[in-house]
Each structure stands twice: as structure tokens, then as C-alpha cells.
Amino acid sequence: ATRRCENSRRWSGSTPSCRPLSEFMSSETLSVARSIQGNLMNRLATYTEEAQPLPGSALRNSGGTGGGSNIALDLLLVLDTSGSVSAGNVNNGSKVFSKTIAKKFAMHRDAVHVGAIAFGSSIHDISPFTSKRKNVAKAVDTFEHKGGCTNTGGALLRAKDMFSQARPQ
């Protein structure tokens, strides 16, 4: 059934229910997805505080202020705060995860920058790209759940815009 976001900022039709991912994907597809996820997590681990600097890197991991890699990373946290996600799930899930990520990365002005946006019916900049982890965590923590429709397309366009302005290549 098709559902629409109505003028009342509520969805038409009956509420969807969740089904196991295995109903939608073959075991081969799930295996590929898990492999991609593992590879991504391994690559991201390069930038955490526990990471060791690459040999010859100009950046050093000095008490969490240096980067563990000599490759720059701009990471944008995109929070779905639409009506399809409860305020409790945003506060206890998305916000906690985002603050954990912001605090875990070994941010350095030349290496790792983290920013955050939220989307519901409209797009909200939570934090511009910055190397100041406390600023990102605080901005995420103080952001309010907005509800509304799920404007994923608008969020992707805003993300593209932020990345194009993040830093020179």
C-alpha cells in the first residue's frame, strides 16, 4: 500500500510493521552486506583514538587530539528525526550513537572533521564540520526531535552541499 505525508504532517494509511531482513534478502546478499559493513568499520577504526599513526605520518595520536591516519576524513552524521522515529528512539538511539561517534574519533583540524544534520519534513543543520568533538556532541545532545515527514532526498542534497563546502580536495 502507498502511504503519503499529509498536510497534517502525519502519514496516511495503516502503520507499517517490521519484518526480518532475511525476508527481503538472500543469504548471499546478506553476506555481501555484512562484508561491506565489516570493511567500513575496519576503515573507520583507522581514525579512532586507539588507532596508531601510519609510519611517516605528519599527524600523531597525542592524547586523542591527533589523527591516527594521514588521510583526511569528513564524517557527516545524518539523524532521521521524522515522525516515523519516536522521540525516545532519537534521544536514546540516534543521539547516543552520534555523540559516541563524535567523542570516539581522534579529531584533528587537518585530519578528522565531524558534522551533523537532522531531517524530518525539513532539514536542520545540527553542527557544521568541525574538529571540536565536544561542540558536535553538545549540538547533537541539545537538538530537539521535530517529527513530520521523512525528507530523505532533502537530507541527501544537504549532505552533498555540506561535503562540497567541507574542505578543498
Side-chain angles (χ1 to χ4, degrees):
T2 301
R3 297 183 77 200
R4 293 181 319 279
C5 183
E6 297 179 338
N7 291 338
S8 64
R9 293 191 169 193
R10 299 205 182 270
W11 286 100
S12 66
S14 60
T15 303
S17 59
C18 296
R19 294 186 294 177
L21 194 56
S22 59
E23 288 184 29
F24 303 99
M25 294 184 162
S26 69
S27 60
E28 181 179 343
T29 304
L30 284 171
S31 175
V32 169
R34 287 187 183 113
S35 174
I36 291 169
Q37 179 185 22
N39 187 18
L40 174 64
M41 296 311 293
N42 287 338
R43 288 177 182 266
L44 289 176
T46 304
Y47 297 96
T48 64
E49 290 182 323
E50 295 83 15
Q52 296 299 312
L54 297 175
S57 172
L59 302 173
R60 297 288 181 243
N61 192 348
S62 55
T65 59
S69 171
N70 62 355
I71 301 170
L73 172 70
D74 292 326
L75 177 67
L76 183 63
L77 303 169
V78 182
L79 286 73
D80 180 351
T81 61
S82 67
S84 61
V85 181
S86 72
N89 283 340
V90 169
N91 292 331
N92 299 320
S94 302
K95 282 185 174 186
V96 170
F97 172 78
S98 297
K99 291 186 300 186
T100 301
I101 292 293
K103 290 176 182 175
K104 185 157 183 77
F105 276 85
M107 295 189 207
H108 184 277
R109 66 180 174 82
D110 294 328
V112 179
H113 293 172
V114 176
I117 62 173
F119 69 97
S121 294
S122 56
I123 313 306
H124 304 275
D125 289 354
I126 297 174
S127 173
F129 283 113
T130 181
S131 59
K132 297 179 175 133
R133 70 177 84 198
K134 289 181 182 178
N135 291 5
V136 176
K138 183 177 180 180
V140 166
D141 197 39
T142 58
F143 185 78
E144 297 288 327
H145 179 264
K146 302 292 185 191
C149 299
T150 310
N151 187 1
T152 309
L156 293 173
L157 290 172
R158 179 63 186 132
K160 179 182 176 188
D161 185 50
M162 286 183 72
F163 280 117
S164 70
Q165 299 173 17
R167 66 172 111 194
Q169 294 295 327

